[in-house]
Amino acid sequence: MKNDRRRPARPRPGKPAPKKAQQKPAPRKAAPKKPSPQPRPAPEEPRTLRLGLVPGTTPGRWIDTWKERMPHVELELVPMAFAEQREQLAEVDLALVRLPVARADHLHVIPLYDELPVVIAAKESHLMAADELSPDDLAGEVLITPGDDVLGPLDLPTVAPRFPAIETTEDAVATVASGVGILVVPMSLARLHKRKDADYRILRDGPTSTVALAWPRDVTTPDIETFVGIVRGRTANSSR
């Protein structure tokens, strides 16, 4: 017998095993760019804003806001006499004045509020028995008009005093407190010169006194605009 030796079968060529897909490395994220530091604004130099005040004006709430908003600018309060308010406007940056003010066409003038007139008399005066007074209630009363009067002619049924003129409102209040005559002033002046032996009542239909903010037309600085904005109730972020 022939040797029946078969050659081992050669393996059939097959398809090569698929190579594993190589995973591409994830792209590196670029490091975030750091914002370049912004230059700090140069600190503002200290300076002063001069605010004139005629007697009776009360800027307290505006002063508080100014100190919060403009701590680097000192607000200097400068007392002014009503009779000289127009001349003294040249010595300040702006002022709270009483209207009318002379040569107003050369000024920026912003009316702020009107003050009611009151009658000041001795605390024991019969006039103080009423809550309010009318012009007719003052018939025959001696009306004192001080040298620094701010209301002007009142057209009341009163009589003029027979004693020398009194120069200041403060002295006139002391006189009426003694029981001599009456005085008519804006309410803020009655409060300013309040005494234990005098009192006041609102005068119905009497002349009001208008308080305004004023400054020269040819001098308007950023600080003045800021103060005007505060008075008008603008916030720190409001546009002018």
Side-chain angles (χ1 to χ4, degrees):
M1 292 181 63
K2 294 182 178 179
N3 294 334
D4 191 10
R5 293 180 179 177
R6 296 180 180 180
R7 294 179 178 178
R10 293 180 179 178
R12 293 181 180 180
K15 295 182 179 180
K19 294 182 179 180
K20 291 184 179 180
Q22 294 182 353
Q23 294 181 349
K24 294 182 179 180
R28 294 182 181 179
K29 293 183 178 180
K33 293 182 179 179
K34 294 183 179 180
S36 56
Q38 296 294 327
R40 293 183 179 179
E44 296 192 52
E45 293 185 3
R47 54 188 182 274
T48 300
L49 182 72
R50 291 168 58 83
L51 175 66
L53 302 173
V54 295
T57 52
T58 52
R61 63 186 185 278
W62 301 321
I63 292 175
D64 293 340
T65 304
W66 178 268
K67 289 179 178 179
E68 293 174 3
R69 198 173 299 178
M70 302 288 286
H72 53 285
V73 182
E74 179 186 358
L75 187 63
E76 181 182 352
L77 305 182
V78 181
M80 294 169 45
F82 169 73
E84 300 172 358
Q85 62 179 3
R86 184 61 184 90
E87 292 76 11
Q88 290 181 312
L89 267 170
E91 303 171 9
V92 296
D93 296 298
L94 69 172
L96 292 176
V97 300
R98 292 187 184 276
L99 300 184
V101 59
R103 296 170 59 203
D105 54 327
H106 293 271
L107 301 172
H108 289 289
V109 179
I110 302 175
L112 300 178
Y113 56 89
D114 294 332
E115 281 195 69
L116 293 174
V118 298
V119 178
I120 303 178
K123 202 156 192 175
E124 303 303 323
S125 170
H126 68 281
L127 295 174
M128 298 298 102
D131 294 330
E132 291 185 354
L133 297 170
S134 69
D136 291 341
D137 295 326
L138 307 181
E141 296 288 338
V142 175
L143 176 64
I144 298 174
T145 303
D148 59 359
D149 173 62
V150 302
L151 292 178
L154 298 177
D155 192 26
L156 295 172
T158 53
V159 297
R162 296 182 178 179
F163 46 83
I166 298 176
E167 289 302 317
T168 68
T169 298
E170 183 177 8
D171 290 342
V173 173
T175 300
V176 301
S178 69
V180 179
I182 62 171
L183 179 66
V184 179
V185 296
M187 186 179 290
S188 67
L189 290 181
R191 291 173 174 170
L192 178 64
H193 301 294
K194 188 171 178 58
R195 296 169 53 107
K196 293 181 179 179
D197 50 359
D199 207 347
Y200 61 87
R201 295 291 184 269
I202 292 175
L203 176 61
R204 294 195 306 270
D205 303 322
T208 58
S209 177
T210 301
V211 174
L213 187 65
W215 70 98
R217 282 188 174 274
D218 57 350
V219 183
T220 300
T221 66
D223 288 343
I224 289 176
E225 290 181 345
T226 298
F227 190 84
V228 171
I230 290 173
V231 170
R232 286 180 160 174
R234 298 190 191 121
T235 64
N237 298 324
S238 298
S239 59
R240 291 189 178 93

PDB file of all heavy atoms in Angstrom, residues 65 68-70 225-240:
ATOM      1  N   THR A  65     -26.157 113.621  50.776  1.00  0.00           N
ATOM      2  CA  THR A  65     -25.961 112.926  49.498  1.00  0.00           C
ATOM      3  C   THR A  65     -24.642 113.332  48.862  1.00  0.00           C
ATOM      4  O   THR A  65     -23.928 112.507  48.285  1.00  0.00           O
ATOM      5  CB  THR A  65     -27.124 113.226  48.540  1.00  0.00           C
ATOM      6  OG1 THR A  65     -28.362 112.856  49.169  1.00  0.00           O
ATOM      7  CG2 THR A  65     -26.985 112.445  47.243  1.00  0.00           C
ATOM      8  N   GLU A  68     -21.701 111.489  50.373  1.00  0.00           N
ATOM      9  CA  GLU A  68     -21.623 110.091  49.937  1.00  0.00           C
ATOM     10  C   GLU A  68     -21.098 109.982  48.516  1.00  0.00           C
ATOM     11  O   GLU A  68     -20.308 109.088  48.192  1.00  0.00           O
ATOM     12  CB  GLU A  68     -23.005 109.442  50.022  1.00  0.00           C
ATOM     13  CG  GLU A  68     -23.532 109.293  51.439  1.00  0.00           C
ATOM     14  CD  GLU A  68     -24.962 108.774  51.458  1.00  0.00           C
ATOM     15  OE1 GLU A  68     -25.494 108.493  50.361  1.00  0.00           O
ATOM     16  OE2 GLU A  68     -25.540 108.651  52.554  1.00  0.00           O
ATOM     17  N   ARG A  69     -21.551 110.890  47.646  1.00  0.00           N
ATOM     18  CA  ARG A  69     -21.241 110.782  46.226  1.00  0.00           C
ATOM     19  C   ARG A  69     -19.919 111.466  45.843  1.00  0.00           C
ATOM     20  O   ARG A  69     -19.258 111.043  44.898  1.00  0.00           O
ATOM     21  CB  ARG A  69     -22.395 111.382  45.418  1.00  0.00           C
ATOM     22  CG  ARG A  69     -22.423 110.974  43.960  1.00  0.00           C
ATOM     23  CD  ARG A  69     -23.688 111.475  43.296  1.00  0.00           C
ATOM     24  NE  ARG A  69     -24.895 110.919  43.903  1.00  0.00           N
ATOM     25  CZ  ARG A  69     -26.126 111.233  43.533  1.00  0.00           C
ATOM     26  NH1 ARG A  69     -26.313 112.108  42.546  1.00  0.00           N
ATOM     27  NH2 ARG A  69     -27.162 110.685  44.122  1.00  0.00           N
ATOM     28  N   MET A  70     -19.567 112.501  46.572  1.00  0.00           N
ATOM     29  CA  MET A  70     -18.374 113.292  46.215  1.00  0.00           C
ATOM     30  C   MET A  70     -17.486 113.477  47.450  1.00  0.00           C
ATOM     31  O   MET A  70     -17.247 114.609  47.894  1.00  0.00           O
ATOM     32  CB  MET A  70     -18.803 114.647  45.652  1.00  0.00           C
ATOM     33  CG  MET A  70     -19.707 114.575  44.443  1.00  0.00           C
ATOM     34  SD  MET A  70     -18.863 114.035  42.942  1.00  0.00           S
ATOM     35  CE  MET A  70     -17.923 115.512  42.543  1.00  0.00           C
ATOM     36  N   GLU A 225     -22.747 120.935  38.194  1.00  0.00           N
ATOM     37  CA  GLU A 225     -23.738 120.071  37.556  1.00  0.00           C
ATOM     38  C   GLU A 225     -24.086 118.886  38.452  1.00  0.00           C
ATOM     39  O   GLU A 225     -25.250 118.465  38.511  1.00  0.00           O
ATOM     40  CB  GLU A 225     -23.206 119.591  36.210  1.00  0.00           C
ATOM     41  CG  GLU A 225     -23.130 120.682  35.149  1.00  0.00           C
ATOM     42  CD  GLU A 225     -22.622 120.157  33.824  1.00  0.00           C
ATOM     43  OE1 GLU A 225     -22.063 119.031  33.809  1.00  0.00           O
ATOM     44  OE2 GLU A 225     -22.778 120.851  32.799  1.00  0.00           O
ATOM     45  N   THR A 226     -23.096 118.365  39.178  1.00  0.00           N
ATOM     46  CA  THR A 226     -23.362 117.254  40.091  1.00  0.00           C
ATOM     47  C   THR A 226     -24.278 117.697  41.221  1.00  0.00           C
ATOM     48  O   THR A 226     -25.225 116.990  41.588  1.00  0.00           O
ATOM     49  CB  THR A 226     -22.049 116.703  40.664  1.00  0.00           C
ATOM     50  OG1 THR A 226     -21.239 116.199  39.593  1.00  0.00           O
ATOM     51  CG2 THR A 226     -22.315 115.567  41.648  1.00  0.00           C
ATOM     52  N   PHE A 227     -24.018 118.877  41.782  1.00  0.00           N
ATOM     53  CA  PHE A 227     -24.868 119.353  42.878  1.00  0.00           C
ATOM     54  C   PHE A 227     -26.280 119.630  42.374  1.00  0.00           C
ATOM     55  O   PHE A 227     -27.258 119.306  43.059  1.00  0.00           O
ATOM     56  CB  PHE A 227     -24.276 120.614  43.507  1.00  0.00           C
ATOM     57  CG  PHE A 227     -24.974 121.021  44.776  1.00  0.00           C
ATOM     58  CD1 PHE A 227     -24.619 120.449  45.984  1.00  0.00           C
ATOM     59  CD2 PHE A 227     -26.003 121.951  44.760  1.00  0.00           C
ATOM     60  CE1 PHE A 227     -25.275 120.798  47.160  1.00  0.00           C
ATOM     61  CE2 PHE A 227     -26.656 122.311  45.925  1.00  0.00           C
ATOM     62  CZ  PHE A 227     -26.293 121.729  47.130  1.00  0.00           C
ATOM     63  N   VAL A 228     -26.397 120.205  41.192  1.00  0.00           N
ATOM     64  CA  VAL A 228     -27.729 120.455  40.619  1.00  0.00           C
ATOM     65  C   VAL A 228     -28.463 119.121  40.445  1.00  0.00           C
ATOM     66  O   VAL A 228     -29.662 119.014  40.737  1.00  0.00           O
ATOM     67  CB  VAL A 228     -27.603 121.185  39.268  1.00  0.00           C
ATOM     68  CG1 VAL A 228     -28.960 121.254  38.564  1.00  0.00           C
ATOM     69  CG2 VAL A 228     -27.064 122.598  39.478  1.00  0.00           C
ATOM     70  N   GLY A 229     -27.754 118.089  39.994  1.00  0.00           N
ATOM     71  CA  GLY A 229     -28.373 116.784  39.839  1.00  0.00           C
ATOM     72  C   GLY A 229     -28.864 116.217  41.157  1.00  0.00           C
ATOM     73  O   GLY A 229     -29.942 115.618  41.234  1.00  0.00           O
ATOM     74  N   ILE A 230     -28.086 116.412  42.218  1.00  0.00           N
ATOM     75  CA  ILE A 230     -28.508 115.943  43.542  1.00  0.00           C
ATOM     76  C   ILE A 230     -29.777 116.665  43.981  1.00  0.00           C
ATOM     77  O   ILE A 230     -30.725 116.065  44.489  1.00  0.00           O
ATOM     78  CB  ILE A 230     -27.367 116.151  44.554  1.00  0.00           C
ATOM     79  CG1 ILE A 230     -26.224 115.171  44.265  1.00  0.00           C
ATOM     80  CG2 ILE A 230     -27.864 115.977  45.983  1.00  0.00           C
ATOM     81  CD1 ILE A 230     -24.978 115.411  45.096  1.00  0.00           C
ATOM     82  N   VAL A 231     -29.797 117.982  43.793  1.00  0.00           N
ATOM     83  CA  VAL A 231     -30.979 118.767  44.188  1.00  0.00           C
ATOM     84  C   VAL A 231     -32.210 118.323  43.405  1.00  0.00           C
ATOM     85  O   VAL A 231     -33.322 118.266  43.938  1.00  0.00           O
ATOM     86  CB  VAL A 231     -30.703 120.269  43.973  1.00  0.00           C
ATOM     87  CG1 VAL A 231     -31.978 121.084  44.130  1.00  0.00           C
ATOM     88  CG2 VAL A 231     -29.641 120.758  44.953  1.00  0.00           C
ATOM     89  N   ARG A 232     -32.019 117.979  42.138  1.00  0.00           N
ATOM     90  CA  ARG A 232     -33.144 117.546  41.308  1.00  0.00           C
ATOM     91  C   ARG A 232     -33.496 116.078  41.495  1.00  0.00           C
ATOM     92  O   ARG A 232     -34.402 115.564  40.832  1.00  0.00           O
ATOM     93  CB  ARG A 232     -32.819 117.817  39.835  1.00  0.00           C
ATOM     94  CG  ARG A 232     -32.912 119.291  39.476  1.00  0.00           C
ATOM     95  CD  ARG A 232     -32.588 119.534  38.025  1.00  0.00           C
ATOM     96  NE  ARG A 232     -33.099 120.816  37.564  1.00  0.00           N
ATOM     97  CZ  ARG A 232     -32.862 121.345  36.376  1.00  0.00           C
ATOM     98  NH1 ARG A 232     -32.105 120.687  35.510  1.00  0.00           N
ATOM     99  NH2 ARG A 232     -33.365 122.512  36.038  1.00  0.00           N
ATOM    100  N   GLY A 233     -32.772 115.387  42.360  1.00  0.00           N
ATOM    101  CA  GLY A 233     -33.113 114.005  42.674  1.00  0.00           C
ATOM    102  C   GLY A 233     -32.520 112.975  41.745  1.00  0.00           C
ATOM    103  O   GLY A 233     -32.945 111.813  41.742  1.00  0.00           O
ATOM    104  N   ARG A 234     -31.507 113.355  40.959  1.00  0.00           N
ATOM    105  CA  ARG A 234     -30.883 112.363  40.088  1.00  0.00           C
ATOM    106  C   ARG A 234     -30.031 111.412  40.904  1.00  0.00           C
ATOM    107  O   ARG A 234     -29.406 111.795  41.894  1.00  0.00           O
ATOM    108  CB  ARG A 234     -30.005 113.033  39.027  1.00  0.00           C
ATOM    109  CG  ARG A 234     -30.740 113.950  38.077  1.00  0.00           C
ATOM    110  CD  ARG A 234     -29.790 114.351  36.942  1.00  0.00           C
ATOM    111  NE  ARG A 234     -30.364 115.449  36.148  1.00  0.00           N
ATOM    112  CZ  ARG A 234     -29.785 116.617  35.975  1.00  0.00           C
ATOM    113  NH1 ARG A 234     -28.636 116.869  36.558  1.00  0.00           N
ATOM    114  NH2 ARG A 234     -30.345 117.556  35.237  1.00  0.00           N
ATOM    115  N   THR A 235     -29.961 110.141  40.455  1.00  0.00           N
ATOM    116  CA  THR A 235     -29.083 109.177  41.087  1.00  0.00           C
ATOM    117  C   THR A 235     -27.671 109.343  40.535  1.00  0.00           C
ATOM    118  O   THR A 235     -27.441 110.085  39.585  1.00  0.00           O
ATOM    119  CB  THR A 235     -29.559 107.733  40.826  1.00  0.00           C
ATOM    120  OG1 THR A 235     -29.465 107.466  39.415  1.00  0.00           O
ATOM    121  CG2 THR A 235     -30.996 107.557  41.293  1.00  0.00           C
ATOM    122  N   ALA A 236     -26.718 108.597  41.129  1.00  0.00           N
ATOM    123  CA  ALA A 236     -25.328 108.725  40.696  1.00  0.00           C
ATOM    124  C   ALA A 236     -25.150 108.272  39.258  1.00  0.00           C
ATOM    125  O   ALA A 236     -24.251 108.727  38.555  1.00  0.00           O
ATOM    126  CB  ALA A 236     -24.431 107.908  41.616  1.00  0.00           C
ATOM    127  N   ASN A 237     -26.020 107.351  38.763  1.00  0.00           N
ATOM    128  CA  ASN A 237     -25.878 106.820  37.402  1.00  0.00           C
ATOM    129  C   ASN A 237     -26.755 107.541  36.387  1.00  0.00           C
ATOM    130  O   ASN A 237     -26.765 107.170  35.215  1.00  0.00           O
ATOM    131  CB  ASN A 237     -26.220 105.328  37.383  1.00  0.00           C
ATOM    132  CG  ASN A 237     -25.269 104.526  38.250  1.00  0.00           C
ATOM    133  OD1 ASN A 237     -24.084 104.846  38.323  1.00  0.00           O
ATOM    134  ND2 ASN A 237     -25.773 103.509  38.910  1.00  0.00           N
ATOM    135  N   SER A 238     -27.507 108.525  36.826  1.00  0.00           N
ATOM    136  CA  SER A 238     -28.388 109.225  35.900  1.00  0.00           C
ATOM    137  C   SER A 238     -27.574 110.104  34.968  1.00  0.00           C
ATOM    138  O   SER A 238     -26.550 110.683  35.368  1.00  0.00           O
ATOM    139  CB  SER A 238     -29.393 110.109  36.648  1.00  0.00           C
ATOM    140  OG  SER A 238     -30.225 109.311  37.463  1.00  0.00           O
ATOM    141  N   SER A 239     -28.053 110.205  33.736  1.00  0.00           N
ATOM    142  CA  SER A 239     -27.400 111.116  32.807  1.00  0.00           C
ATOM    143  C   SER A 239     -27.894 112.528  33.071  1.00  0.00           C
ATOM    144  O   SER A 239     -29.012 112.730  33.523  1.00  0.00           O
ATOM    145  CB  SER A 239     -27.707 110.724  31.359  1.00  0.00           C
ATOM    146  OG  SER A 239     -29.103 110.739  31.131  1.00  0.00           O
ATOM    147  N   ARG A 240     -27.047 113.482  32.736  1.00  0.00           N
ATOM    148  CA  ARG A 240     -27.442 114.879  32.963  1.00  0.00           C
ATOM    149  C   ARG A 240     -28.457 115.313  31.926  1.00  0.00           C
ATOM    150  O   ARG A 240     -28.450 114.876  30.828  1.00  0.00           O
ATOM    151  CB  ARG A 240     -26.205 115.786  32.903  1.00  0.00           C
ATOM    152  CG  ARG A 240     -25.270 115.557  34.095  1.00  0.00           C
ATOM    153  CD  ARG A 240     -24.181 116.609  34.108  1.00  0.00           C
ATOM    154  NE  ARG A 240     -23.309 116.427  35.254  1.00  0.00           N
ATOM    155  CZ  ARG A 240     -22.182 115.719  35.222  1.00  0.00           C
ATOM    156  NH1 ARG A 240     -21.820 115.131  34.108  1.00  0.00           N
ATOM    157  NH2 ARG A 240     -21.430 115.602  36.288  1.00  0.00           N
TER     158      ARG A 240
END
